[in-house]
PDB file of all heavy atoms in Angstrom:
ATOM      1  N   VAL A  85      11.388  52.034 -58.831  1.00  0.00           N
ATOM      2  CA  VAL A  85      12.159  52.504 -57.687  1.00  0.00           C
ATOM      3  C   VAL A  85      13.669  52.396 -58.026  1.00  0.00           C
ATOM      4  O   VAL A  85      14.463  53.357 -57.601  1.00  0.00           O
ATOM      5  CB  VAL A  85      11.885  51.580 -56.501  1.00  0.00           C
ATOM      6  CG1 VAL A  85      12.920  51.792 -55.430  1.00  0.00           C
ATOM      7  CG2 VAL A  85      10.475  52.012 -55.961  1.00  0.00           C
ATOM      8  N   ARG A  86      14.112  51.308 -58.635  1.00  0.00           N
ATOM      9  CA  ARG A  86      15.447  51.232 -58.976  1.00  0.00           C
ATOM     10  C   ARG A  86      15.933  52.242 -59.914  1.00  0.00           C
ATOM     11  O   ARG A  86      16.921  52.900 -59.869  1.00  0.00           O
ATOM     12  CB  ARG A  86      15.705  49.798 -59.628  1.00  0.00           C
ATOM     13  CG  ARG A  86      15.748  48.720 -58.656  1.00  0.00           C
ATOM     14  CD  ARG A  86      16.369  47.482 -59.268  1.00  0.00           C
ATOM     15  NE  ARG A  86      16.347  46.259 -58.350  1.00  0.00           N
ATOM     16  CZ  ARG A  86      15.375  45.422 -58.410  1.00  0.00           C
ATOM     17  NH1 ARG A  86      14.337  45.496 -59.153  1.00  0.00           N
ATOM     18  NH2 ARG A  86      15.482  44.423 -57.443  1.00  0.00           N
ATOM     19  N   ALA A  87      15.021  52.658 -60.951  1.00  0.00           N
ATOM     20  CA  ALA A  87      15.412  53.519 -61.937  1.00  0.00           C
ATOM     21  C   ALA A  87      15.531  54.973 -61.453  1.00  0.00           C
ATOM     22  O   ALA A  87      16.258  55.861 -61.988  1.00  0.00           O
ATOM     23  CB  ALA A  87      14.357  53.525 -63.044  1.00  0.00           C
ATOM     24  N   THR A  88      14.765  55.290 -60.415  1.00  0.00           N
ATOM     25  CA  THR A  88      14.672  56.668 -59.944  1.00  0.00           C
ATOM     26  C   THR A  88      15.392  56.983 -58.693  1.00  0.00           C
ATOM     27  O   THR A  88      15.728  58.133 -58.305  1.00  0.00           O
ATOM     28  CB  THR A  88      13.184  57.111 -59.709  1.00  0.00           C
ATOM     29  OG1 THR A  88      12.590  56.255 -58.676  1.00  0.00           O
ATOM     30  CG2 THR A  88      12.334  57.071 -60.962  1.00  0.00           C
ATOM     31  N   GLY A  89      15.567  55.863 -57.823  1.00  0.00           N
ATOM     32  CA  GLY A  89      16.182  56.070 -56.575  1.00  0.00           C
ATOM     33  C   GLY A  89      15.177  56.566 -55.514  1.00  0.00           C
ATOM     34  O   GLY A  89      15.546  56.857 -54.286  1.00  0.00           O
ATOM     35  N   SER A  90      13.942  56.682 -55.906  1.00  0.00           N
ATOM     36  CA  SER A  90      12.816  57.134 -54.987  1.00  0.00           C
ATOM     37  C   SER A  90      12.488  55.963 -54.067  1.00  0.00           C
ATOM     38  O   SER A  90      12.543  54.817 -54.421  1.00  0.00           O
ATOM     39  CB  SER A  90      11.619  57.556 -55.662  1.00  0.00           C
ATOM     40  OG  SER A  90      11.966  58.729 -56.540  1.00  0.00           O
ATOM     41  N   ARG A  91      12.011  56.162 -52.729  1.00  0.00           N
ATOM     42  CA  ARG A  91      11.713  55.161 -51.919  1.00  0.00           C
ATOM     43  C   ARG A  91      10.303  55.372 -51.173  1.00  0.00           C
ATOM     44  O   ARG A  91      10.174  55.587 -50.068  1.00  0.00           O
ATOM     45  CB  ARG A  91      12.804  54.994 -50.845  1.00  0.00           C
ATOM     46  CG  ARG A  91      14.155  54.769 -51.246  1.00  0.00           C
ATOM     47  CD  ARG A  91      14.274  53.292 -51.792  1.00  0.00           C
ATOM     48  NE  ARG A  91      15.625  52.884 -52.138  1.00  0.00           N
ATOM     49  CZ  ARG A  91      16.076  53.055 -53.366  1.00  0.00           C
ATOM     50  NH1 ARG A  91      15.279  53.505 -54.398  1.00  0.00           N
ATOM     51  NH2 ARG A  91      17.290  52.678 -53.647  1.00  0.00           N
ATOM     52  N   PRO A  92       9.204  55.351 -52.024  1.00  0.00           N
ATOM     53  CA  PRO A  92       7.911  55.460 -51.393  1.00  0.00           C
ATOM     54  C   PRO A  92       7.668  54.199 -50.629  1.00  0.00           C
ATOM     55  O   PRO A  92       8.201  53.106 -51.010  1.00  0.00           O
ATOM     56  CB  PRO A  92       6.951  55.712 -52.567  1.00  0.00           C
ATOM     57  CG  PRO A  92       7.613  55.035 -53.662  1.00  0.00           C
ATOM     58  CD  PRO A  92       9.129  55.214 -53.498  1.00  0.00           C
ATOM     59  N   LEU A  93       6.742  54.201 -49.610  1.00  0.00           N
ATOM     60  CA  LEU A  93       6.382  53.040 -48.949  1.00  0.00           C
ATOM     61  C   LEU A  93       5.346  52.386 -49.751  1.00  0.00           C
ATOM     62  O   LEU A  93       4.338  52.964 -50.308  1.00  0.00           O
ATOM     63  CB  LEU A  93       5.738  53.417 -47.574  1.00  0.00           C
ATOM     64  CG  LEU A  93       5.273  52.283 -46.747  1.00  0.00           C
ATOM     65  CD1 LEU A  93       6.390  51.335 -46.314  1.00  0.00           C
ATOM     66  CD2 LEU A  93       4.589  52.806 -45.412  1.00  0.00           C
ATOM     67  N   PHE A  94       5.642  51.091 -50.043  1.00  0.00           N
ATOM     68  CA  PHE A  94       4.703  50.213 -50.919  1.00  0.00           C
ATOM     69  C   PHE A  94       3.765  49.451 -50.063  1.00  0.00           C
ATOM     70  O   PHE A  94       4.193  48.683 -49.253  1.00  0.00           O
ATOM     71  CB  PHE A  94       5.548  49.326 -51.875  1.00  0.00           C
ATOM     72  CG  PHE A  94       4.710  48.565 -52.845  1.00  0.00           C
ATOM     73  CD1 PHE A  94       4.203  49.114 -53.912  1.00  0.00           C
ATOM     74  CD2 PHE A  94       4.409  47.224 -52.647  1.00  0.00           C
ATOM     75  CE1 PHE A  94       3.398  48.357 -54.863  1.00  0.00           C
ATOM     76  CE2 PHE A  94       3.729  46.456 -53.494  1.00  0.00           C
ATOM     77  CZ  PHE A  94       3.134  47.108 -54.626  1.00  0.00           C
ATOM     78  N   ALA A  95       2.513  49.619 -50.198  1.00  0.00           N
ATOM     79  CA  ALA A  95       1.490  48.840 -49.437  1.00  0.00           C
ATOM     80  C   ALA A  95       0.712  47.960 -50.405  1.00  0.00           C
ATOM     81  O   ALA A  95      -0.095  48.353 -51.258  1.00  0.00           O
ATOM     82  CB  ALA A  95       0.662  49.760 -48.735  1.00  0.00           C
ATOM     83  N   ASP A  96       0.846  46.621 -50.298  1.00  0.00           N
ATOM     84  CA  ASP A  96       0.119  45.636 -51.098  1.00  0.00           C
ATOM     85  C   ASP A  96      -1.152  45.362 -50.455  1.00  0.00           C
ATOM     86  O   ASP A  96      -1.217  44.860 -49.276  1.00  0.00           O
ATOM     87  CB  ASP A  96       0.897  44.268 -51.243  1.00  0.00           C
ATOM     88  CG  ASP A  96       0.190  43.471 -52.313  1.00  0.00           C
ATOM     89  OD1 ASP A  96      -0.755  42.879 -52.016  1.00  0.00           O
ATOM     90  OD2 ASP A  96       0.675  43.408 -53.412  1.00  0.00           O
ATOM     91  N   CYS A  97      -2.320  45.715 -51.105  1.00  0.00           N
ATOM     92  CA  CYS A  97      -3.676  45.666 -50.533  1.00  0.00           C
ATOM     93  C   CYS A  97      -4.487  44.577 -51.167  1.00  0.00           C
ATOM     94  O   CYS A  97      -5.695  44.642 -51.128  1.00  0.00           O
ATOM     95  CB  CYS A  97      -4.402  46.941 -50.605  1.00  0.00           C
ATOM     96  SG  CYS A  97      -3.397  48.420 -50.002  1.00  0.00           S
ATOM     97  N   ASN A  98      -3.840  43.640 -51.845  1.00  0.00           N
ATOM     98  CA  ASN A  98      -4.475  42.630 -52.554  1.00  0.00           C
ATOM     99  C   ASN A  98      -4.882  41.381 -51.838  1.00  0.00           C
ATOM    100  O   ASN A  98      -4.330  40.977 -50.860  1.00  0.00           O
ATOM    101  CB  ASN A  98      -3.621  42.401 -53.822  1.00  0.00           C
ATOM    102  CG  ASN A  98      -3.272  43.524 -54.650  1.00  0.00           C
ATOM    103  OD1 ASN A  98      -4.303  44.224 -55.070  1.00  0.00           O
ATOM    104  ND2 ASN A  98      -2.069  43.895 -54.761  1.00  0.00           N
ATOM    105  N   ALA A  99      -5.821  40.671 -52.347  1.00  0.00           N
ATOM    106  CA  ALA A  99      -6.346  39.415 -51.769  1.00  0.00           C
ATOM    107  C   ALA A  99      -5.531  38.314 -52.212  1.00  0.00           C
ATOM    108  O   ALA A  99      -5.760  37.589 -53.134  1.00  0.00           O
ATOM    109  CB  ALA A  99      -7.821  39.186 -52.137  1.00  0.00           C
ATOM    110  N   ILE A 100      -4.363  38.152 -51.586  1.00  0.00           N
ATOM    111  CA  ILE A 100      -3.308  37.207 -51.834  1.00  0.00           C
ATOM    112  C   ILE A 100      -2.875  36.312 -50.706  1.00  0.00           C
ATOM    113  O   ILE A 100      -3.044  36.674 -49.545  1.00  0.00           O
ATOM    114  CB  ILE A 100      -2.082  37.848 -52.509  1.00  0.00           C
ATOM    115  CG1 ILE A 100      -1.436  38.934 -51.561  1.00  0.00           C
ATOM    116  CG2 ILE A 100      -2.290  38.469 -53.936  1.00  0.00           C
ATOM    117  CD1 ILE A 100      -0.267  39.521 -52.043  1.00  0.00           C
TER     118      ILE A 100
END
Side-chain angles (χ1 to χ4, degrees):
V85 164
R86 287 193 181 95
T88 61
S90 301
R91 298 289 184 270
L93 182 59
F94 183 78
D96 190 286
C97 308
N98 301 302
I100 55 177

